[in-house]
Amino acid sequence: MAEKLLEIKDLRQHFNVGKPNEVKAVDGISFDIYRGETLGLVGESGCGKSTTGRSIIRLYDATSGDVFYEGENVHGKKSKKDLKKFNRKMQMIFQDPYASLNPRMKVMDIIAEGIDIHGLAKNAADRKKMVFDLLETVGLNKEHANRYPHEFSGGQRQRLGIARALAVEPDFIIADEPISALDVSIQAQVVNLLKELQEEKGLTYLFIAHDLSMVKYISDRIGVMYFGKMVELAPAEDLYNNPMHPYTQSLLSAIPLPDPNYERNRVRKSYDPSTHNYTEKDDVKMREITPGHFVQCSESEFQSLKASVAVK
Amino acid sequence: MEKILQVKDLELSFNTFGGEVKAIRGVNFDLYKGETLAIVGESGSGKSVTTKSIMRLLPENSAEFKNGEILFGGRDLTKLSDKEMQKIRGKDISMIFQDPMTSLNPTMPIGRQITEPLLKHQKIGKEEAKKVAIDLLRLVGMPKPELRMKQYPHQFSGGQRQRIVIAIALACNPQILIADEPTTALDVTIQAQILELMKDLQKKIDTSIIFITHDLGVVANVADRVAVMYGGKIVEIGTVDEIFYNPQHPYTWGLLSSMPSLDTDEAKLYAIPGTPPDLLDPPKGDAFALRSEYALQIDMEQNPPFFKVSDTHSAATWLLHPDAPQVEPPATVIERMKKFPGSRYYEGGAI
């Protein structure tokens, strides 16, 4: 088995704790991310997938639970120096390339911000060269360095976002819906770029999205979230061919495919959480049905899922 | 079939500081009664501008009709006065916008927002309008409509809000419904519900729908006919089967290949290289030529006319000219063509 890069243990992120409008955005999820893989995280809006990403990188302080990065706890007390060291290893690409770049800064300074903070460049010439190299890596050229973000198209801006994340040479990148705001033809360009960079630099991705066909394309494993909990986690291929949790099945049945004939015959399943009939006694948790394929279920459901797999 | 709307040689420009942006450069299409016409294309291709010009929702100080006409019920919509247009908007032609968060008035209970078009366009009293509004809410699948009438938009979820917007749009039984990316802001599960709702309602009230989207999956689901737009022009138009299983324009090929299907395994996704053309200074020939590996010499010099593929299907590409060399479309497109009777890759069987 590959080396664990990140271990998330019973992570909880509640907002407005103690008030009547308490929101349990992330409610006890555990999973591992292995070095060099892409883990996709899908679910509908409000299911907590972005919050999970933001808690992992410590944009939020987790309510409870632990995140271990290379065995080291991310949350908890840390000196400024430790935090800085940690921030270099983990970076984030945001959804909206229009909002995530400072409109008053030139591209050169946007990309070099991380380089400056961590003191990675020896001198001004070195800094310049690093920025030019980064621009080239993401498919832009060095003339772009003196422009402002508004002079770029959406796809180009997302490339800038990627260049900025790469500037500090991280190992792990959280991509929070990096392509949702882009056009179809540009989406493919950005996804290809992310894949190339992964091969070149051995990056690990947490890829958060709601476009399931794109997630399947880029991910090695996929986690499905529903109301702050993870309901299924499996290798990408396995999840699509053999979804076990009823929510995953309903999600998959709702994806429109560019095939009119398939669309005419599509049967959509709907998901009703009350059909589980869980009682207090049921120990509902993630259980491994087939190797690597985890489903949130009760003991009795576990047995019947096991049996159904055995038949196949 | 009865033509309900005809767009003829429409040309429209925006006057900006940078110069004249030729957003629509000669668009022709007809809309038939009871059909759904999907317009696809990337941002800046002119799909939203086309529909907004039908609704006359473009800013009058910068947008300028250069040529062409939009015929609806014997009248040219481009020539109507604002007063006359107001009588059509929301009554005969209505529109659903992309973002249900911003298209509802946050300071008004939704009941009043639904009765607004009724009171404006139909000679009915307040009480009666209220009854109609409750029926509309029920029609779009809103539980407890009587109670919900008094609530404000923030008390509804995104999917519910889009249902309300649909209810408002349908209030006066419009002949044409324009839906501008109505499901782009919604989740897949909610999207599927809204699409089903729209198809249901279309059957019930027999309206024609113009559906704008860039999601080809959604197009495959809702459309009867599809128009593909690029650089301010329609480059290919045909029935949904013709566009998906027998596409002819290299841009349509590119669009279809750049979407991963659930069984795409290729290491690399096909990406259309480059960016859309700058409409301040549109290219002389085929606008897509610079990004296309199938471009011919003539594409750089002359704009291709429409070539007929079948009675319902035509595409603007020089590749269809009898003198053009025969080219091999991308592999994923050939896979699609194998299913289409009449294409040169057809392998038998029905789609």
Side-chain angles (χ1 to χ4, degrees), chain A residues 43-46 49 153 156 180-192 195-196 199 210-217 237 240-241 247 250-264 266 268-269, chain B residues 41-43 47 184 186-193 195-196 199 214-218 220-221 240-241 244-245 251 255-256 258-276 291 336 339 351:
Chain A
E44 54 196 279
S45 41
K49 53 190 194 301
S153 68
Q156 286 177 320
S180 307
L182 307 176
D183 268 319
V184 204
S185 72
I186 310 296
Q187 281 186 358
Q189 292 177 5
V190 172
V191 165
N192 281 340
K195 272 206 148 181
E196 278 165 29
E199 274 164 34
H210 64 254
D211 178 342
L212 289 118
S213 36
M214 213 42 116
V215 173
K216 183 196 169 223
Y217 176 71
E237 204 58 39
Y240 277 82
N241 295 335
Y247 178 67
S250 110
L251 203 60
L252 286 178
S253 77
I255 314 173
L257 294 184
D259 184 341
N261 200 42
Y262 170 86
E263 284 300 318
R264 275 178 215 123
R266 185 154 65 107
R268 193 162 65 79
K269 288 184 186 161
Chain B
E42 48 202 312
S43 8
K47 51 195 197 314
T184 309
L186 305 173
D187 283 313
V188 269
T189 39
I190 313 295
Q191 165 171 293
Q193 289 168 15
L195 294 179
E196 271 162 36
K199 281 194 280 189
H214 60 252
D215 187 336
L216 292 170
V218 173
N221 182 297
V240 69
D241 284 343
F244 278 89
Y245 297 125
Y251 179 63
L255 274 186
L256 286 169
S258 61
M259 270 195 89
S261 67
L262 287 179
D263 40 50
T264 306
D265 293 321
E266 289 106 83
K268 208 171 166 177
L269 210 53
Y270 177 80
I272 303 175
T275 47
R291 298 172 75 186
R336 288 172 178 276
K339 299 175 194 162
I351 16 172

Side-chain angles (χ1 to χ4, degrees), chain B residues 1 32 35 37 224-227 236-243 306-315 340:
Chain B
M1 263 198 295
Y32 299 102
E35 75 161 350
L37 172 72
D224 298 312
R225 288 196 306 139
V226 182
E236 184 161 8
I237 185 164
T239 65
V240 69
D241 284 343
E242 283 164 341
I243 298 293
F306 267 102
F307 291 95
K308 222 171 172 180
V309 183
S310 75
D311 283 343
T312 47
H313 186 188
S314 43
F340 190 81

